[in-house]
Amino acid sequence: MDGVNVGSDVFIIETDITKKGSVVWKGQYVDHRDKLSRKKRWMQSDEDVVYSAKQLDDTVVSTNQIRLIVKTLKEHFPEIFLERLDIDGKFEVPKTLVFCKVRFACR
């Protein structure tokens, strides 16, 4: 990073699922997507499915985890960007780039 267009501050938000993985409980409805057609269908899980942190975002996507990260970022913007308070003490959100972990799996 050259510091001109993008600053060099890095903030890492980790969740319990990111560290340990989690479980999809039996009976829970799960969105299944075909990787080629992107067609999706909802199916009820017929058994508990335990997944590791390594499987997260590869074979499992946790929408609640994504929501938690966005919510956490929003709540902590004022302490991350202390200089962004205007004269009236109102916080102004600066342009921000968010890079997310993405893994591609070739099978």
Side-chain angles (χ1 to χ4, degrees), residues 70-105:
V70 171
K71 180 182 173 195
T72 301
L73 181 62
K74 179 182 174 188
E75 289 172 354
H76 288 84
F77 263 147
E79 60 193 74
I80 294 171
F81 299 104
L82 293 171
E83 73 283 356
R84 297 302 296 202
L85 292 175
D86 67 9
I87 297 169
D88 301 323
K90 183 178 175 186
F91 178 72
E92 296 177 348
V93 178
K95 282 186 181 178
T96 306
L97 293 174
V98 178
F99 293 93
C100 300
K101 170 183 74 170
V102 177
R103 292 187 217 160
F104 294 97

PDB file of all heavy atoms in Angstrom, residues 70-105:
ATOM      1  N   VAL A  70     -20.022  -7.067  10.141  1.00  0.00           N
ATOM      2  CA  VAL A  70     -20.435  -5.751   9.654  1.00  0.00           C
ATOM      3  C   VAL A  70     -20.944  -4.889  10.812  1.00  0.00           C
ATOM      4  O   VAL A  70     -20.608  -3.705  10.921  1.00  0.00           O
ATOM      5  CB  VAL A  70     -21.504  -5.888   8.543  1.00  0.00           C
ATOM      6  CG1 VAL A  70     -22.102  -4.540   8.186  1.00  0.00           C
ATOM      7  CG2 VAL A  70     -20.904  -6.550   7.312  1.00  0.00           C
ATOM      8  N   LYS A  71     -21.727  -5.478  11.703  1.00  0.00           N
ATOM      9  CA  LYS A  71     -22.239  -4.747  12.876  1.00  0.00           C
ATOM     10  C   LYS A  71     -21.092  -4.282  13.773  1.00  0.00           C
ATOM     11  O   LYS A  71     -21.077  -3.139  14.237  1.00  0.00           O
ATOM     12  CB  LYS A  71     -23.190  -5.649  13.662  1.00  0.00           C
ATOM     13  CG  LYS A  71     -23.786  -5.007  14.883  1.00  0.00           C
ATOM     14  CD  LYS A  71     -24.680  -5.979  15.627  1.00  0.00           C
ATOM     15  CE  LYS A  71     -25.142  -5.376  16.932  1.00  0.00           C
ATOM     16  NZ  LYS A  71     -25.697  -6.348  17.839  1.00  0.00           N
ATOM     17  N   THR A  72     -20.123  -5.154  14.006  1.00  0.00           N
ATOM     18  CA  THR A  72     -18.968  -4.812  14.840  1.00  0.00           C
ATOM     19  C   THR A  72     -18.168  -3.674  14.214  1.00  0.00           C
ATOM     20  O   THR A  72     -17.767  -2.732  14.906  1.00  0.00           O
ATOM     21  CB  THR A  72     -18.072  -6.047  15.043  1.00  0.00           C
ATOM     22  OG1 THR A  72     -18.845  -7.079  15.655  1.00  0.00           O
ATOM     23  CG2 THR A  72     -16.869  -5.723  15.913  1.00  0.00           C
ATOM     24  N   LEU A  73     -17.953  -3.745  12.917  1.00  0.00           N
ATOM     25  CA  LEU A  73     -17.235  -2.676  12.218  1.00  0.00           C
ATOM     26  C   LEU A  73     -17.980  -1.350  12.371  1.00  0.00           C
ATOM     27  O   LEU A  73     -17.385  -0.326  12.712  1.00  0.00           O
ATOM     28  CB  LEU A  73     -17.062  -3.032  10.745  1.00  0.00           C
ATOM     29  CG  LEU A  73     -16.311  -2.031   9.882  1.00  0.00           C
ATOM     30  CD1 LEU A  73     -14.884  -1.858  10.381  1.00  0.00           C
ATOM     31  CD2 LEU A  73     -16.316  -2.480   8.437  1.00  0.00           C
ATOM     32  N   LYS A  74     -19.284  -1.373  12.152  1.00  0.00           N
ATOM     33  CA  LYS A  74     -20.106  -0.159  12.274  1.00  0.00           C
ATOM     34  C   LYS A  74     -20.017   0.434  13.678  1.00  0.00           C
ATOM     35  O   LYS A  74     -19.866   1.639  13.841  1.00  0.00           O
ATOM     36  CB  LYS A  74     -21.556  -0.480  11.925  1.00  0.00           C
ATOM     37  CG  LYS A  74     -22.482   0.703  12.033  1.00  0.00           C
ATOM     38  CD  LYS A  74     -23.908   0.303  11.730  1.00  0.00           C
ATOM     39  CE  LYS A  74     -24.844   1.468  11.996  1.00  0.00           C
ATOM     40  NZ  LYS A  74     -26.241   1.084  11.901  1.00  0.00           N
ATOM     41  N   GLU A  75     -20.099  -0.421  14.693  1.00  0.00           N
ATOM     42  CA  GLU A  75     -20.058   0.057  16.076  1.00  0.00           C
ATOM     43  C   GLU A  75     -18.699   0.651  16.448  1.00  0.00           C
ATOM     44  O   GLU A  75     -18.615   1.532  17.296  1.00  0.00           O
ATOM     45  CB  GLU A  75     -20.386  -1.091  17.037  1.00  0.00           C
ATOM     46  CG  GLU A  75     -21.833  -1.524  16.994  1.00  0.00           C
ATOM     47  CD  GLU A  75     -22.095  -2.783  17.806  1.00  0.00           C
ATOM     48  OE1 GLU A  75     -21.130  -3.405  18.320  1.00  0.00           O
ATOM     49  OE2 GLU A  75     -23.264  -3.158  17.913  1.00  0.00           O
ATOM     50  N   HIS A  76     -17.631   0.167  15.823  1.00  0.00           N
ATOM     51  CA  HIS A  76     -16.287   0.602  16.208  1.00  0.00           C
ATOM     52  C   HIS A  76     -15.684   1.654  15.283  1.00  0.00           C
ATOM     53  O   HIS A  76     -14.550   2.080  15.498  1.00  0.00           O
ATOM     54  CB  HIS A  76     -15.359  -0.610  16.309  1.00  0.00           C
ATOM     55  CG  HIS A  76     -15.662  -1.449  17.513  1.00  0.00           C
ATOM     56  ND1 HIS A  76     -16.644  -2.404  17.514  1.00  0.00           N
ATOM     57  CD2 HIS A  76     -15.146  -1.445  18.749  1.00  0.00           C
ATOM     58  CE1 HIS A  76     -16.711  -2.973  18.691  1.00  0.00           C
ATOM     59  NE2 HIS A  76     -15.813  -2.405  19.468  1.00  0.00           N
ATOM     60  N   PHE A  77     -16.421   2.082  14.267  1.00  0.00           N
ATOM     61  CA  PHE A  77     -15.909   3.129  13.380  1.00  0.00           C
ATOM     62  C   PHE A  77     -15.409   4.359  14.142  1.00  0.00           C
ATOM     63  O   PHE A  77     -14.310   4.848  13.880  1.00  0.00           O
ATOM     64  CB  PHE A  77     -16.968   3.566  12.369  1.00  0.00           C
ATOM     65  CG  PHE A  77     -16.856   2.904  11.024  1.00  0.00           C
ATOM     66  CD1 PHE A  77     -17.990   2.635  10.299  1.00  0.00           C
ATOM     67  CD2 PHE A  77     -15.636   2.571  10.468  1.00  0.00           C
ATOM     68  CE1 PHE A  77     -17.915   2.034   9.052  1.00  0.00           C
ATOM     69  CE2 PHE A  77     -15.542   1.974   9.230  1.00  0.00           C
ATOM     70  CZ  PHE A  77     -16.687   1.702   8.522  1.00  0.00           C
ATOM     71  N   PRO A  78     -16.182   4.914  15.106  1.00  0.00           N
ATOM     72  CA  PRO A  78     -15.710   6.129  15.792  1.00  0.00           C
ATOM     73  C   PRO A  78     -14.384   5.954  16.527  1.00  0.00           C
ATOM     74  O   PRO A  78     -13.577   6.882  16.574  1.00  0.00           O
ATOM     75  CB  PRO A  78     -16.840   6.445  16.781  1.00  0.00           C
ATOM     76  CG  PRO A  78     -18.052   5.824  16.168  1.00  0.00           C
ATOM     77  CD  PRO A  78     -17.549   4.572  15.499  1.00  0.00           C
ATOM     78  N   GLU A  79     -14.120   4.793  17.094  1.00  0.00           N
ATOM     79  CA  GLU A  79     -12.841   4.616  17.785  1.00  0.00           C
ATOM     80  C   GLU A  79     -11.716   4.258  16.815  1.00  0.00           C
ATOM     81  O   GLU A  79     -10.551   4.505  17.099  1.00  0.00           O
ATOM     82  CB  GLU A  79     -12.953   3.592  18.907  1.00  0.00           C
ATOM     83  CG  GLU A  79     -13.362   2.219  18.487  1.00  0.00           C
ATOM     84  CD  GLU A  79     -13.751   1.343  19.661  1.00  0.00           C
ATOM     85  OE1 GLU A  79     -14.834   1.557  20.223  1.00  0.00           O
ATOM     86  OE2 GLU A  79     -12.960   0.455  20.002  1.00  0.00           O
ATOM     87  N   ILE A  80     -12.058   3.700  15.654  1.00  0.00           N
ATOM     88  CA  ILE A  80     -11.046   3.404  14.645  1.00  0.00           C
ATOM     89  C   ILE A  80     -10.603   4.696  13.959  1.00  0.00           C
ATOM     90  O   ILE A  80      -9.431   4.912  13.698  1.00  0.00           O
ATOM     91  CB  ILE A  80     -11.585   2.395  13.606  1.00  0.00           C
ATOM     92  CG1 ILE A  80     -11.830   1.032  14.259  1.00  0.00           C
ATOM     93  CG2 ILE A  80     -10.627   2.266  12.426  1.00  0.00           C
ATOM     94  CD1 ILE A  80     -12.570   0.044  13.368  1.00  0.00           C
ATOM     95  N   PHE A  81     -11.572   5.579  13.669  1.00  0.00           N
ATOM     96  CA  PHE A  81     -11.294   6.827  12.957  1.00  0.00           C
ATOM     97  C   PHE A  81     -11.583   8.011  13.872  1.00  0.00           C
ATOM     98  O   PHE A  81     -12.538   8.760  13.679  1.00  0.00           O
ATOM     99  CB  PHE A  81     -12.149   6.918  11.691  1.00  0.00           C
ATOM    100  CG  PHE A  81     -11.900   5.821  10.714  1.00  0.00           C
ATOM    101  CD1 PHE A  81     -12.796   4.772  10.585  1.00  0.00           C
ATOM    102  CD2 PHE A  81     -10.754   5.818   9.922  1.00  0.00           C
ATOM    103  CE1 PHE A  81     -12.577   3.748   9.681  1.00  0.00           C
ATOM    104  CE2 PHE A  81     -10.523   4.797   9.019  1.00  0.00           C
ATOM    105  CZ  PHE A  81     -11.431   3.761   8.896  1.00  0.00           C
ATOM    106  N   LEU A  82     -10.737   8.194  14.876  1.00  0.00           N
ATOM    107  CA  LEU A  82     -10.934   9.264  15.864  1.00  0.00           C
ATOM    108  C   LEU A  82     -10.959  10.653  15.240  1.00  0.00           C
ATOM    109  O   LEU A  82     -11.645  11.552  15.736  1.00  0.00           O
ATOM    110  CB  LEU A  82      -9.830   9.199  16.931  1.00  0.00           C
ATOM    111  CG  LEU A  82      -9.857   7.966  17.830  1.00  0.00           C
ATOM    112  CD1 LEU A  82      -8.600   7.914  18.682  1.00  0.00           C
ATOM    113  CD2 LEU A  82     -11.108   7.952  18.684  1.00  0.00           C
ATOM    114  N   GLU A  83     -10.228  10.850  14.163  1.00  0.00           N
ATOM    115  CA  GLU A  83     -10.114  12.174  13.548  1.00  0.00           C
ATOM    116  C   GLU A  83     -11.337  12.555  12.715  1.00  0.00           C
ATOM    117  O   GLU A  83     -11.388  13.636  12.146  1.00  0.00           O
ATOM    118  CB  GLU A  83      -8.845  12.239  12.674  1.00  0.00           C
ATOM    119  CG  GLU A  83      -8.921  11.465  11.363  1.00  0.00           C
ATOM    120  CD  GLU A  83      -8.763   9.953  11.493  1.00  0.00           C
ATOM    121  OE1 GLU A  83      -8.511   9.447  12.591  1.00  0.00           O
ATOM    122  OE2 GLU A  83      -8.898   9.284  10.473  1.00  0.00           O
ATOM    123  N   ARG A  84     -12.350  11.674  12.634  1.00  0.00           N
ATOM    124  CA  ARG A  84     -13.494  11.917  11.763  1.00  0.00           C
ATOM    125  C   ARG A  84     -14.684  12.564  12.469  1.00  0.00           C
ATOM    126  O   ARG A  84     -15.803  12.515  11.975  1.00  0.00           O
ATOM    127  CB  ARG A  84     -13.934  10.604  11.105  1.00  0.00           C
ATOM    128  CG  ARG A  84     -12.901   9.988  10.192  1.00  0.00           C
ATOM    129  CD  ARG A  84     -12.501  10.915   9.082  1.00  0.00           C
ATOM    130  NE  ARG A  84     -13.649  11.179   8.229  1.00  0.00           N
ATOM    131  CZ  ARG A  84     -13.583  11.591   6.990  1.00  0.00           C
ATOM    132  NH1 ARG A  84     -12.418  11.816   6.434  1.00  0.00           N
ATOM    133  NH2 ARG A  84     -14.672  11.811   6.306  1.00  0.00           N
ATOM    134  N   LEU A  85     -14.485  13.194  13.593  1.00  0.00           N
ATOM    135  CA  LEU A  85     -15.550  13.939  14.257  1.00  0.00           C
ATOM    136  C   LEU A  85     -15.565  15.356  13.702  1.00  0.00           C
ATOM    137  O   LEU A  85     -14.524  16.005  13.607  1.00  0.00           O
ATOM    138  CB  LEU A  85     -15.337  13.969  15.767  1.00  0.00           C
ATOM    139  CG  LEU A  85     -15.485  12.640  16.497  1.00  0.00           C
ATOM    140  CD1 LEU A  85     -15.112  12.807  17.966  1.00  0.00           C
ATOM    141  CD2 LEU A  85     -16.894  12.092  16.371  1.00  0.00           C
ATOM    142  N   ASP A  86     -16.765  15.846  13.329  1.00  0.00           N
ATOM    143  CA  ASP A  86     -16.842  17.215  12.815  1.00  0.00           C
ATOM    144  C   ASP A  86     -16.925  18.212  13.975  1.00  0.00           C
ATOM    145  O   ASP A  86     -16.840  17.837  15.148  1.00  0.00           O
ATOM    146  CB  ASP A  86     -17.997  17.377  11.815  1.00  0.00           C
ATOM    147  CG  ASP A  86     -19.377  17.236  12.446  1.00  0.00           C
ATOM    148  OD1 ASP A  86     -19.463  17.183  13.684  1.00  0.00           O
ATOM    149  OD2 ASP A  86     -20.363  17.194  11.696  1.00  0.00           O
ATOM    150  N   ILE A  87     -17.125  19.477  13.674  1.00  0.00           N
ATOM    151  CA  ILE A  87     -17.139  20.541  14.686  1.00  0.00           C
ATOM    152  C   ILE A  87     -18.216  20.302  15.736  1.00  0.00           C
ATOM    153  O   ILE A  87     -18.028  20.588  16.916  1.00  0.00           O
ATOM    154  CB  ILE A  87     -17.361  21.920  14.012  1.00  0.00           C
ATOM    155  CG1 ILE A  87     -16.188  22.211  13.079  1.00  0.00           C
ATOM    156  CG2 ILE A  87     -17.518  23.024  15.037  1.00  0.00           C
ATOM    157  CD1 ILE A  87     -16.407  23.389  12.166  1.00  0.00           C
ATOM    158  N   ASP A  88     -19.356  19.744  15.311  1.00  0.00           N
ATOM    159  CA  ASP A  88     -20.471  19.503  16.235  1.00  0.00           C
ATOM    160  C   ASP A  88     -20.345  18.183  16.984  1.00  0.00           C
ATOM    161  O   ASP A  88     -21.224  17.805  17.744  1.00  0.00           O
ATOM    162  CB  ASP A  88     -21.796  19.503  15.463  1.00  0.00           C
ATOM    163  CG  ASP A  88     -22.043  20.822  14.750  1.00  0.00           C
ATOM    164  OD1 ASP A  88     -21.690  21.870  15.319  1.00  0.00           O
ATOM    165  OD2 ASP A  88     -22.578  20.794  13.616  1.00  0.00           O
ATOM    166  N   GLY A  89     -19.257  17.456  16.778  1.00  0.00           N
ATOM    167  CA  GLY A  89     -19.049  16.180  17.440  1.00  0.00           C
ATOM    168  C   GLY A  89     -19.737  15.010  16.755  1.00  0.00           C
ATOM    169  O   GLY A  89     -19.811  13.916  17.300  1.00  0.00           O
ATOM    170  N   LYS A  90     -20.246  15.270  15.552  1.00  0.00           N
ATOM    171  CA  LYS A  90     -20.910  14.205  14.788  1.00  0.00           C
ATOM    172  C   LYS A  90     -19.861  13.431  13.997  1.00  0.00           C
ATOM    173  O   LYS A  90     -18.953  14.002  13.414  1.00  0.00           O
ATOM    174  CB  LYS A  90     -21.943  14.813  13.841  1.00  0.00           C
ATOM    175  CG  LYS A  90     -22.729  13.793  13.070  1.00  0.00           C
ATOM    176  CD  LYS A  90     -23.767  14.463  12.190  1.00  0.00           C
ATOM    177  CE  LYS A  90     -24.444  13.421  11.331  1.00  0.00           C
ATOM    178  NZ  LYS A  90     -25.363  14.034  10.365  1.00  0.00           N
ATOM    179  N   PHE A  91     -20.000  12.107  14.003  1.00  0.00           N
ATOM    180  CA  PHE A  91     -19.038  11.253  13.313  1.00  0.00           C
ATOM    181  C   PHE A  91     -19.375  11.144  11.835  1.00  0.00           C
ATOM    182  O   PHE A  91     -20.528  10.921  11.470  1.00  0.00           O
ATOM    183  CB  PHE A  91     -19.024   9.856  13.942  1.00  0.00           C
ATOM    184  CG  PHE A  91     -18.097   8.908  13.253  1.00  0.00           C
ATOM    185  CD1 PHE A  91     -16.728   9.034  13.383  1.00  0.00           C
ATOM    186  CD2 PHE A  91     -18.594   7.894  12.459  1.00  0.00           C
ATOM    187  CE1 PHE A  91     -15.869   8.177  12.746  1.00  0.00           C
ATOM    188  CE2 PHE A  91     -17.748   7.023  11.814  1.00  0.00           C
ATOM    189  CZ  PHE A  91     -16.380   7.158  11.957  1.00  0.00           C
ATOM    190  N   GLU A  92     -18.389  11.317  10.985  1.00  0.00           N
ATOM    191  CA  GLU A  92     -18.541  11.159   9.541  1.00  0.00           C
ATOM    192  C   GLU A  92     -17.762   9.923   9.111  1.00  0.00           C
ATOM    193  O   GLU A  92     -16.561   9.827   9.360  1.00  0.00           O
ATOM    194  CB  GLU A  92     -18.015  12.388   8.810  1.00  0.00           C
ATOM    195  CG  GLU A  92     -18.790  13.652   9.110  1.00  0.00           C
ATOM    196  CD  GLU A  92     -18.197  14.865   8.410  1.00  0.00           C
ATOM    197  OE1 GLU A  92     -17.070  14.785   7.890  1.00  0.00           O
ATOM    198  OE2 GLU A  92     -18.875  15.904   8.398  1.00  0.00           O
ATOM    199  N   VAL A  93     -18.446   8.995   8.469  1.00  0.00           N
ATOM    200  CA  VAL A  93     -17.802   7.764   8.027  1.00  0.00           C
ATOM    201  C   VAL A  93     -16.931   8.074   6.820  1.00  0.00           C
ATOM    202  O   VAL A  93     -17.404   8.595   5.816  1.00  0.00           O
ATOM    203  CB  VAL A  93     -18.847   6.683   7.657  1.00  0.00           C
ATOM    204  CG1 VAL A  93     -18.157   5.429   7.155  1.00  0.00           C
ATOM    205  CG2 VAL A  93     -19.728   6.373   8.846  1.00  0.00           C
ATOM    206  N   PRO A  94     -15.647   7.751   6.886  1.00  0.00           N
ATOM    207  CA  PRO A  94     -14.762   7.992   5.744  1.00  0.00           C
ATOM    208  C   PRO A  94     -14.930   6.895   4.696  1.00  0.00           C
ATOM    209  O   PRO A  94     -15.537   5.860   4.954  1.00  0.00           O
ATOM    210  CB  PRO A  94     -13.369   7.905   6.370  1.00  0.00           C
ATOM    211  CG  PRO A  94     -13.555   6.950   7.503  1.00  0.00           C
ATOM    212  CD  PRO A  94     -14.939   7.211   8.034  1.00  0.00           C
ATOM    213  N   LYS A  95     -14.373   7.138   3.527  1.00  0.00           N
ATOM    214  CA  LYS A  95     -14.325   6.064   2.538  1.00  0.00           C
ATOM    215  C   LYS A  95     -13.528   4.925   3.146  1.00  0.00           C
ATOM    216  O   LYS A  95     -12.467   5.133   3.720  1.00  0.00           O
ATOM    217  CB  LYS A  95     -13.621   6.523   1.257  1.00  0.00           C
ATOM    218  CG  LYS A  95     -14.455   7.372   0.372  1.00  0.00           C
ATOM    219  CD  LYS A  95     -13.709   7.641  -0.916  1.00  0.00           C
ATOM    220  CE  LYS A  95     -14.505   8.517  -1.821  1.00  0.00           C
ATOM    221  NZ  LYS A  95     -13.777   8.813  -3.055  1.00  0.00           N
ATOM    222  N   THR A  96     -14.062   3.755   3.043  1.00  0.00           N
ATOM    223  CA  THR A  96     -13.432   2.605   3.688  1.00  0.00           C
ATOM    224  C   THR A  96     -13.465   1.412   2.757  1.00  0.00           C
ATOM    225  O   THR A  96     -14.495   1.125   2.151  1.00  0.00           O
ATOM    226  CB  THR A  96     -14.175   2.246   4.994  1.00  0.00           C
ATOM    227  OG1 THR A  96     -14.245   3.403   5.815  1.00  0.00           O
ATOM    228  CG2 THR A  96     -13.477   1.131   5.740  1.00  0.00           C
ATOM    229  N   LEU A  97     -12.349   0.742   2.626  1.00  0.00           N
ATOM    230  CA  LEU A  97     -12.292  -0.506   1.878  1.00  0.00           C
ATOM    231  C   LEU A  97     -12.309  -1.649   2.870  1.00  0.00           C
ATOM    232  O   LEU A  97     -11.568  -1.638   3.845  1.00  0.00           O
ATOM    233  CB  LEU A  97     -11.006  -0.597   1.050  1.00  0.00           C
ATOM    234  CG  LEU A  97     -10.866   0.390  -0.098  1.00  0.00           C
ATOM    235  CD1 LEU A  97      -9.479   0.257  -0.714  1.00  0.00           C
ATOM    236  CD2 LEU A  97     -11.933   0.168  -1.124  1.00  0.00           C
ATOM    237  N   VAL A  98     -13.155  -2.626   2.621  1.00  0.00           N
ATOM    238  CA  VAL A  98     -13.225  -3.795   3.482  1.00  0.00           C
ATOM    239  C   VAL A  98     -12.840  -4.998   2.647  1.00  0.00           C
ATOM    240  O   VAL A  98     -13.484  -5.301   1.648  1.00  0.00           O
ATOM    241  CB  VAL A  98     -14.642  -3.978   4.070  1.00  0.00           C
ATOM    242  CG1 VAL A  98     -14.702  -5.235   4.914  1.00  0.00           C
ATOM    243  CG2 VAL A  98     -15.060  -2.756   4.869  1.00  0.00           C
ATOM    244  N   PHE A  99     -11.770  -5.648   3.042  1.00  0.00           N
ATOM    245  CA  PHE A  99     -11.330  -6.853   2.362  1.00  0.00           C
ATOM    246  C   PHE A  99     -11.735  -8.036   3.205  1.00  0.00           C
ATOM    247  O   PHE A  99     -11.488  -8.069   4.409  1.00  0.00           O
ATOM    248  CB  PHE A  99      -9.811  -6.855   2.163  1.00  0.00           C
ATOM    249  CG  PHE A  99      -9.340  -5.805   1.210  1.00  0.00           C
ATOM    250  CD1 PHE A  99      -8.941  -4.571   1.671  1.00  0.00           C
ATOM    251  CD2 PHE A  99      -9.331  -6.052  -0.162  1.00  0.00           C
ATOM    252  CE1 PHE A  99      -8.511  -3.585   0.799  1.00  0.00           C
ATOM    253  CE2 PHE A  99      -8.923  -5.085  -1.035  1.00  0.00           C
ATOM    254  CZ  PHE A  99      -8.514  -3.844  -0.556  1.00  0.00           C
ATOM    255  N   CYS A 100     -12.376  -8.979   2.579  1.00  0.00           N
ATOM    256  CA  CYS A 100     -12.853 -10.149   3.301  1.00  0.00           C
ATOM    257  C   CYS A 100     -12.080 -11.377   2.841  1.00  0.00           C
ATOM    258  O   CYS A 100     -11.628 -11.444   1.706  1.00  0.00           O
ATOM    259  CB  CYS A 100     -14.336 -10.366   3.038  1.00  0.00           C
ATOM    260  SG  CYS A 100     -15.327  -8.970   3.555  1.00  0.00           S
ATOM    261  N   LYS A 101     -12.007 -12.314   3.733  1.00  0.00           N
ATOM    262  CA  LYS A 101     -11.354 -13.578   3.425  1.00  0.00           C
ATOM    263  C   LYS A 101     -12.196 -14.324   2.400  1.00  0.00           C
ATOM    264  O   LYS A 101     -13.383 -14.515   2.569  1.00  0.00           O
ATOM    265  CB  LYS A 101     -11.224 -14.396   4.697  1.00  0.00           C
ATOM    266  CG  LYS A 101     -10.774 -15.811   4.496  1.00  0.00           C
ATOM    267  CD  LYS A 101     -10.751 -16.555   5.794  1.00  0.00           C
ATOM    268  CE  LYS A 101     -12.184 -16.856   6.205  1.00  0.00           C
ATOM    269  NZ  LYS A 101     -12.284 -17.776   7.324  1.00  0.00           N
ATOM    270  N   VAL A 102     -11.565 -14.725   1.330  1.00  0.00           N
ATOM    271  CA  VAL A 102     -12.261 -15.517   0.311  1.00  0.00           C
ATOM    272  C   VAL A 102     -11.344 -16.674  -0.057  1.00  0.00           C
ATOM    273  O   VAL A 102     -10.156 -16.497  -0.292  1.00  0.00           O
ATOM    274  CB  VAL A 102     -12.551 -14.680  -0.952  1.00  0.00           C
ATOM    275  CG1 VAL A 102     -13.208 -15.546  -2.014  1.00  0.00           C
ATOM    276  CG2 VAL A 102     -13.433 -13.491  -0.610  1.00  0.00           C
ATOM    277  N   ARG A 103     -11.917 -17.845  -0.068  1.00  0.00           N
ATOM    278  CA  ARG A 103     -11.145 -19.020  -0.466  1.00  0.00           C
ATOM    279  C   ARG A 103     -11.814 -19.658  -1.668  1.00  0.00           C
ATOM    280  O   ARG A 103     -13.025 -19.772  -1.730  1.00  0.00           O
ATOM    281  CB  ARG A 103     -11.087 -20.053   0.647  1.00  0.00           C
ATOM    282  CG  ARG A 103     -10.296 -19.633   1.827  1.00  0.00           C
ATOM    283  CD  ARG A 103     -10.168 -20.782   2.759  1.00  0.00           C
ATOM    284  NE  ARG A 103     -10.243 -20.252   4.097  1.00  0.00           N
ATOM    285  CZ  ARG A 103     -10.537 -20.969   5.153  1.00  0.00           C
ATOM    286  NH1 ARG A 103     -10.808 -22.215   5.053  1.00  0.00           N
ATOM    287  NH2 ARG A 103     -10.567 -20.422   6.335  1.00  0.00           N
ATOM    288  N   PHE A 104     -11.033 -20.076  -2.612  1.00  0.00           N
ATOM    289  CA  PHE A 104     -11.559 -20.791  -3.755  1.00  0.00           C
ATOM    290  C   PHE A 104     -11.109 -22.228  -3.659  1.00  0.00           C
ATOM    291  O   PHE A 104      -9.941 -22.517  -3.407  1.00  0.00           O
ATOM    292  CB  PHE A 104     -11.045 -20.189  -5.067  1.00  0.00           C
ATOM    293  CG  PHE A 104     -11.559 -18.806  -5.300  1.00  0.00           C
ATOM    294  CD1 PHE A 104     -10.807 -17.703  -4.962  1.00  0.00           C
ATOM    295  CD2 PHE A 104     -12.817 -18.617  -5.830  1.00  0.00           C
ATOM    296  CE1 PHE A 104     -11.275 -16.426  -5.158  1.00  0.00           C
ATOM    297  CE2 PHE A 104     -13.311 -17.339  -6.031  1.00  0.00           C
ATOM    298  CZ  PHE A 104     -12.533 -16.237  -5.696  1.00  0.00           C
ATOM    299  N   ALA A 105     -12.048 -23.122  -3.837  1.00  0.00           N
ATOM    300  CA  ALA A 105     -11.712 -24.543  -3.755  1.00  0.00           C
ATOM    301  C   ALA A 105     -11.936 -25.169  -5.122  1.00  0.00           C
ATOM    302  O   ALA A 105     -12.994 -25.012  -5.723  1.00  0.00           O
ATOM    303  CB  ALA A 105     -12.592 -25.238  -2.727  1.00  0.00           C
TER     304      ALA A 105
END
